[in-house]
Amino acid sequence: MTEAQATPQTGKRVLLAKPRGYCAGVDRAVQTVEEALKLYGAPIYVRKQIVHNKHVVQTLEAQGAIFVEENEEVPEGATVIFSAHGVAPEVYEQARERSLKAIDATCPLVTKVHQEAKRFAAEDYDILLIGHEGHEEVVGTAGEAPAHIQLVDGPDGVSKITVRDPEKVVWLSQTTLSVDETLETVARLKQRLPLLQSPPSDDICYATSNRQHVVKEIAPECDVVIVVGSRNSSNSVRLVEVALDAGARAGHLIDFAQEIDDAWLADARTVGVSSGASVPDELVQDVLAHLAARGFADVEEITTANERLTFSLPQELKRDMKAAAARG
């Protein structure tokens, strides 16, 4: 769509990114908490935020979920759900010691990285885990094989690594990173370690890649890109960075429409809108309504991929749901 085709009355338009919002892993994790509340009744305890989104957490709290930082905060014998970001083996052990009924809502794509870490550690590889220090997903993956894993926090972290055998080194990554920055990190690692091996399949999840790709497409035409997502959401933060790197004049991360500053829109003709993988679409619709009220009523959805992947609920929850249904 060209500038001349924009809404005649205002010349203002919105480029709406698709895919955006919920990915299959987030959808599964949120459903896990909702179904557990229906099946077992409130309260249901959740270790860490089930997904990194303020609105989702508040909504589930209102339904009876109690979010805690560690298993010690969960009463003995109660039900606890582990978040979509994955946990280290010691967290399962702590749950067993407290007789907790644990339901694992880890995204299957994160579980894949855990399995890779265990396999390469068993084969005595040094594992270079590309990710952000302190992020829950990184803590969980590193906990699978702490003696074998070193964290590489972006391209600047490459100079700090040491390996035992440069012929037995593999890189893995957090699933929610910037695709471009990760490729840059890997390229730098390969300069130092030419025999560095790659994971059997890409660790950065399809949803993260897809959301970044469409934002790259729209960013060069945008005066400002607004990304709906929380500040502790790695993939949402990356979307703003990707937008700016791809040519957007400005980029902002917001949780809710009311956080939009009218000054951002003062000289704008084209506004890009996207959302992180843990954001329900109702929040995006609120942003579109907010923009429409300020003259940005012309919305063009730009689609670069169609996502159809779904994940089934955790086995332990499905088993109990089936038993409850059989009892009638």
Side-chain angles (χ1 to χ4, degrees), residues 80-91:
V80 64
I81 296 174
F82 298 147
S83 80
H85 309 104
V87 296
E90 65 193 43
V91 175

Side-chain angles (χ1 to χ4, degrees), residues 1-7 13 221 270 298 300:
M1 182 173 172
T2 65
E3 198 69 31
Q5 292 171 288
T7 311
R13 62 174 180 161
E221 295 185 60
T270 301
D298 179 34
E300 182 184 359

Side-chain angles (χ1 to χ4, degrees), residues 15 17-18 210-222 225 242-243 246 302-305:
L15 297 181
K18 183 181 176 182
N210 287 347
R211 279 149 191 70
Q212 289 177 19
H213 179 66
V214 66
V215 164
K216 272 190 197 176
E217 289 281 312
I218 66 172
E221 295 185 60
C222 294
V225 171
V242 165
I302 307 296
T303 305
T304 55

Side-chain angles (χ1 to χ4, degrees), residues 29-30 33 46 48-51 56 60 67 81-85 105:
V30 174
V33 179
V46 184
K48 309 288 187 185
Q49 291 190 359
I50 186 70
V51 297
V56 171
L60 292 172
F67 291 87
I81 296 174
F82 298 147
S83 80
H85 309 104

Side-chain angles (χ1 to χ4, degrees), residues 3 6 10-14 221 223 265 267-271 296:
E3 198 69 31
T10 65
K12 295 177 178 179
R13 62 174 180 161
V14 173
E221 295 185 60
D223 299 302
L265 310 174
D267 300 314
R269 310 284 284 176
T270 301
V271 177
F296 293 87

Side-chain angles (χ1 to χ4, degrees), residues 62 88-89 124 208 258 272 294:
D124 203 30
T208 298
Q258 62 264 32
R294 284 150 184 81

